[in-house]
Each structure stands twice: as structure tokens, then as C-alpha cells.
Amino acid sequence: MTHLPFSFRLIYALILFFVLMAEPGAAHSGLDVPERSGDKFSHDIVVQLAGDLAREPFRELPKAPEILSQMDYSTYRQINFNPDEAVWSGSPTRFSVQLFAPGFLFNDLVDIEVVENGQVFPLKISEKSFIVPDESLGRLLADLGKFTGFRLHYPLNSHDYQDEFIVFQGASYFRAVSRGQVYGLSMRGLAIDVAQPAGEEFPVFRHFWIERPSVYQNSIIVHALLDSKSVTGAYRFAIYPGSPTCVDVDVVLFPRRDIQNVGLAPLTSMYMHGPMNPSRKPDYRPAVHDSKGLAMMRGNGERLWRPLNNPRTLQVSAFLDENPRGFGLIQRQRQFDYYQDLEAYYHCRPSAWVEPLGDWGKGHVELVEIPSDSEANDNIVAYWKPAEGLKEGRPFSYSYRLTWPEDEPLMNSGIRIVRSAAGKKLFTDKKEVVIDYSHLTAEDIHNIDVVASINHGSILEARLQPNPYTGGARLFVSFNPENARTAELRVRLTRDQKPVTATWLYRWIN
């Protein structure tokens, strides 16, 4: 090319540039994408599909054949997607897609398509798509030609390796990590009738469209069609892997019926035990949880911190608000010594923070704590419950930003609650909670007032002293719940009658 005239070299370079930027389906490497152009695509089409679907009765997703649904876990975990067959593998784009095979507990078959140059291309699989324990299983999966979900890969932790960083699989569940983290809590598209006597309804993402990013993009867009007996929905996920990973979510729901018990931006996690409620059975690990507490930033600017619990009976808590600024399930401690777990890496698991984009109106953050004796079970759910619920035939739109940070975003002050514990006051039978704060000097302590209250019984004492090990202070609050079976504690530190840290909340259960 160096011997060509400059004008020809310029034309050649421009042609090469546009070829790389366009990246048509025919240039795909990895899992087969048909070369013929598909239908035109836009998010408006997903919204229209959701609206049309809402006027029809709900249809169950097709299921995997019995030979796959009866597969045990040990066999299913031997089925792995072949990285060489990944969608867009070996192409200039920085992202690639790998698919999940049906089997074991994952039996709902979903449609997954890619969007290239504004056109839809359905994915096809071959016998080489999955690494399987025997060839007959590979042929069965190829003949079935369906998936149960997918995961996205991107060079998150290094420039020369594409890490898996977000997964969509099962009902409307998805989970993600930021740089340096391992998987922990999960998110859902929508929650319906959580902890209701008639049982919970689990909407499903029945169809996905994944847009192919250009060569230089560090983000990717996924569209999803949600469906259930009560509602349909069109979802758009703008996904930005990084530190932290961020996803902007736009939603339009089409209710098939009035839904009062609906949860927006639901987070699902696990809490077994910790300093507030030690393990009820012997465990060498002092803490076992994916999330330590529920954090909130109310519409009026008040910050709340509620340590999680593994109760003996189902507990539902509501935190009233209007136009919330954010809420999340937070994994605050980042030291291995706090957990002492060499396998689960709880100290590396992400927090999750929901930031509403636009006004969400009146409602409340609802926290559901479910009794559990196994860390394999997710027993914590948190979501926003709009006061008026959803109305049949009335579309409902909202947007929010999800991030997976190390800790709650610091809103106003550097003073944080870093630890909570419960027990009895030394040499007495009085009940006591201990709250450790960071970023408080001895001089600060003399200028700070403790405001503590309980809705049943009485506060006996509140004493604040320096804590050099946290660079802050430790607060001791002893209380008498009298004959109450449960009591709500509320504690905050103020200076000149203004809060200087988050309000600490806890439900004491006898």
C-alpha cells in the first residue's frame, strides 16, 4: 500500500475504517450468526411487543426436555460454553457473549438475538458450542437450539483477558461485579407479591436483544421483554463495566391487572449471621453474608442505615419516603479477618446501590428478612414499593441507575457507621447495642449529642467514647424493651441539632 498514490491510500484507509466500525453479521466470528440481514430493530419495537403481549393471556415459556431438566448439579456444571465459540470472539469489539445451556434448575427456554447495524440476527448453536461430558448431549443441545441465559465478557481486570462481569439467567434475575470483585447479591427486573400469603409471582425475561458495540465502545446495550401472569415490560439496560460497574435501566410496564404489592429495582441477597446476631450453630466464621446492611438516602436528604438480620420468623419492614435519592444493600467490611472464609471470599463481594432517575413519587423501601439456615439461600429482599401500585391497562414508566460499589456512596459526611454489635451490658442483664463510627475526633465527641429512642420500653443509657481502632468513636446504648416481643431502635448523632451521620435503625426481636 505504501507505493499507492496518497489519494488511493486515503480511500483505502476510509474503507477499512468503515468496515471495522460497521462490523456486519457476515464478519462475525464465534457462534453462528446468519449472514442474511434480519428485521429492523429499535427499543420502541420492544415497547410495542410488551404492550401487545399485555393484551393476551400469559403463556408459559417453553421448557427443556426431561432428560435435561432431571440432570443433577454435578452433571450440569460439566456443561460449559466453548470460549472459542463466543459471540464476537476474535472480532475488534471488546465485548463477547457466552450462552447458558438448559438443564438442572434452569429449564425455561428464552430467545436471544444480537443486533448489528440496526438489524436482528437470531443466534444458532452447533455441536461445538458447548463443552459437554459426552457427544450425545452436545447433539441434543444443538438440536434444541435454545438457551436459558447469557453472560457478557469484557477486559475488566486486565487489558488482555475478557472477564465475565454480568449474567442474566433465571426468571428476571441478573448479577454483576465491578473490578476486583466476585459475584454476590442478585438483582431482578421486578418483584411481585413478595412475602404474601398466596405466594410470590416471578416474572421472566423471555426474550433478549444484545446490541453489538463498535470497536471503540466501552459500553453495551441489552434489551429484554419481561412477562408474567400480571404484567409485561420492556427493559433497556445500558451497561458500563468498570470500577464501579454501572447499569442505567429504563422500564415501561404494562399491567394485566391491578398490582398493589409490586417491587421496583429489587435486590436479593443473603445474610446468615454477624456481630448483631451470632450464629445459632457452631461456625468458625464470625460473619457469613453477602450484604451487611440496608442503606437509604431519603428524599429529604436523611441517610439511614439498617443492619440486616436472620430472624426466627418472617420480618417485613417499611421505610416511608417520597422521591427517594437512593437505596442499596451494602457489604461494608472489606477485611478477610471479619469473615475468615477462604472459599466464599465474602470480603470481595459487591454492594449494590439503586439511584432513581427522575421522581418516583410516594411509597416506601420495603425490606424482607426471611429465616434461613443455609447460606445457599437468598433470604434478604429490598425494593421500592410505589404507594399506588400498578393499575391494569395503564403503562408505568421509570428509570434508575444501578452501581456495584465497595460501599454506600458517601453523600454528605465522611463519618460512617462501620460496625454494629449486640449483647448485654457488662456485669448486668441489660440489653445493649454497640455502634462504631469512623472519622470522629475526641474534640468532635465533646460537641456531639446522642439522640436515641425506642418505640416500646425505654432507653437506659447512651454513652459515646473515643475508639482509636476505627479512628472514630464507639456508642453504647442500653435499653429495656419491657414486655414487648419486638422493638424498633433509632439512634443518630447530631451537632447543633443537625445530623452528622446516618440514622441507625434496628428491629430488636425477643
Side-chain angles (χ1 to χ4, degrees):
M1 190 175 111
T2 56
H3 300 292
L4 293 174
F6 176 79
S7 59
F8 285 97
R9 280 186 280 143
L10 179 60
I11 293 171
Y12 181 89
L14 287 171
I15 292 172
L16 179 61
F17 172 80
F18 285 116
V19 166
L20 289 175
M21 288 299 290
E23 299 177 349
H28 165 84
S29 62
L31 192 68
D32 182 34
V33 174
E35 293 189 12
R36 254 181 17 186
S37 295
D39 297 330
K40 293 290 185 181
F41 178 83
S42 70
H43 185 65
D44 290 340
I45 292 175
V46 185
V47 175
Q48 182 178 342
L49 284 172
D52 293 343
L53 193 61
R55 292 189 283 270
E56 304 173 2
F58 172 69
R59 291 177 289 109
E60 294 282 350
L61 270 66
K63 304 293 182 181
E66 189 172 328
I67 189 174
L68 295 175
S69 62
Q70 292 187 349
M71 183 182 297
D72 59 27
Y73 175 69
S74 62
T75 304
Y76 181 70
R77 67 181 299 182
Q78 296 178 54
I79 304 174
N80 293 292
F81 197 82
N82 184 354
D84 294 335
E85 294 291 302
V87 181
W88 308 322
S89 65
S91 71
T93 181
R94 306 184 73 191
F95 292 85
S96 62
V97 186
Q98 296 189 22
L99 290 307
F100 288 109
F104 185 48
L105 300 177
F106 302 100
N107 299 303
D108 288 335
L109 304 179
V110 302
D111 294 313
I112 302 174
E113 299 178 300
V114 297
V115 179
E116 300 186 356
N117 299 327
Q119 295 178 316
V120 175
F121 298 92
L123 298 178
K124 290 185 178 181
I125 64 174
S126 69
E127 294 180 18
K128 298 187 298 181
S129 297
F130 291 96
I131 300 170
V132 293
D134 63 77
E135 293 182 1
S136 62
L137 186 54
R139 289 193 294 271
L140 174 62
L141 293 173
D143 291 340
L144 185 62
K146 290 284 188 177
F147 319 99
T148 60
F150 65 94
R151 59 194 182 197
L152 299 180
H153 292 244
Y154 176 84
L156 183 65
N157 294 299
S158 65
H159 296 294
D160 55 357
Y161 181 79
Q162 288 191 335
D163 302 282
E164 173 190 330
F165 75 96
I166 191 166
V167 170
F168 290 82
Q169 187 185 30
S172 66
Y173 283 86
F174 60 101
R175 57 182 183 164
V177 291
S178 300
R179 188 174 299 130
Q181 297 176 346
V182 300
Y183 283 125
L185 76 171
S186 299
M187 294 74 208
R188 284 191 264 170
L190 198 68
I192 298 177
D193 291 339
V194 177
Q196 295 300 306
E200 185 173 351
E201 179 179 317
F202 290 90
V204 297
F205 286 138
R206 67 183 311 140
H207 201 140
F208 292 96
W209 296 263
I210 308 170
E211 291 192 28
R212 183 174 192 170
S214 70
V215 176
Y216 301 107
Q217 277 185 283
N218 294 319
S219 61
I220 187 169
I221 295 174
V222 172
H223 307 262
L225 178 64
L226 179 131
D227 198 8
S228 79
K229 292 181 180 180
S230 301
V231 65
T232 68
Y235 284 67
R236 181 183 185 274
F237 301 93
I239 304 169
Y240 305 84
S243 183
T245 291
C246 171
V247 177
D248 287 342
V249 188
D250 297 307
V251 186
V252 184
L253 299 177
F254 297 89
R256 287 187 167 108
R257 65 171 177 90
D258 290 351
I259 311 173
Q260 185 57 43
N261 297 301
V262 62
L264 310 185
L267 309 174
T268 302
S269 192
M270 178 275 294
Y271 183 92
M272 286 297 295
H273 65 263
M276 284 299 294
N277 45 7
S279 177
R280 294 190 284 267
K281 58 183 180 180
D283 196 323
Y284 65 89
R285 301 166 299 176
V288 174
H289 50 70
D290 283 338
S291 303
K292 180 179 178 63
L294 171 68
M296 289 160 280
M297 180 94 172
R298 302 183 65 218
N300 63 5
E302 182 185 15
R303 295 168 57 198
L304 305 179
W305 174 256
R306 165 64 152 76
L308 297 177
N309 195 1
N310 182 5
R312 296 181 184 273
T313 59
L314 176 70
Q315 299 292 315
V316 180
S317 304
F319 306 90
L320 294 175
D321 203 358
E322 183 173 358
N323 297 325
R325 298 190 191 181
F327 67 91
L329 293 176
I330 306 301
Q331 185 76 325
R332 180 150 286 172
Q333 265 68 26
R334 294 294 160 186
Q335 301 79 29
F336 168 80
D337 288 350
Y338 182 83
Y339 306 94
Q340 290 289 331
D341 196 312
L342 289 170
E343 297 180 2
Y345 287 90
Y346 289 118
H347 61 292
C348 296
R349 301 203 173 194
S351 300
W353 184 255
V354 176
E355 178 188 350
L357 301 177
D359 292 342
W360 278 16
K362 294 182 178 181
H364 63 262
V365 173
E366 189 158 282
L367 172 66
V368 180
E369 297 167 304
I370 304 167
S372 176
D373 59 2
S374 171
E375 61 197 274
N377 299 330
D378 284 343
N379 64 323
I380 302 295
V381 190
Y383 46 80
W384 174 256
K385 187 174 180 180
E388 296 184 359
L390 305 181
K391 303 300 180 183
E392 180 181 356
R394 187 185 302 173
F396 185 91
S397 301
Y398 60 101
S399 300
Y400 60 99
R401 175 168 295 152
L402 267 173
T403 53
W404 285 260
E406 294 288 288
D407 199 346
E408 170 195 5
L410 295 179
M411 302 296 183
N412 296 322
S413 170
I415 302 174
R416 290 189 301 158
I417 298 167
V418 295
R419 179 178 177 269
S420 307
K424 291 184 178 180
K425 186 176 180 179
L426 289 178
F427 313 118
T428 74
D429 288 330
K430 296 176 181 177
K431 296 174 176 58
E432 187 173 60
V433 294
V434 173
I435 309 170
D436 284 326
Y437 297 90
S438 69
H439 298 85
L440 271 172
T441 66
E443 183 178 350
D444 290 331
I445 292 173
H446 293 301
N447 297 320
I448 282 179
D449 295 315
V450 178
V451 181
S453 62
I454 189 170
N455 68 335
H456 295 294
S458 60
I459 299 294
L460 302 177
E461 182 185 20
R463 177 169 54 91
L464 190 66
Q465 71 176 51
N467 184 349
Y469 299 99
T470 63
R474 172 168 290 180
L475 175 63
F476 299 86
V477 179
S478 56
F479 61 97
N480 180 7
E482 297 178 352
N483 296 320
R485 298 185 62 180
T486 65
E488 301 287 347
L489 290 160
R490 182 182 180 93
V491 179
R492 68 175 174 177
L493 305 184
T494 65
R495 183 189 295 118
D496 299 328
Q497 299 183 337
K498 296 180 181 179
V500 295
T501 188
T503 301
W504 184 93
L505 305 171
Y506 192 69
R507 175 174 293 173
W508 175 85
I509 304 172
N510 189 8

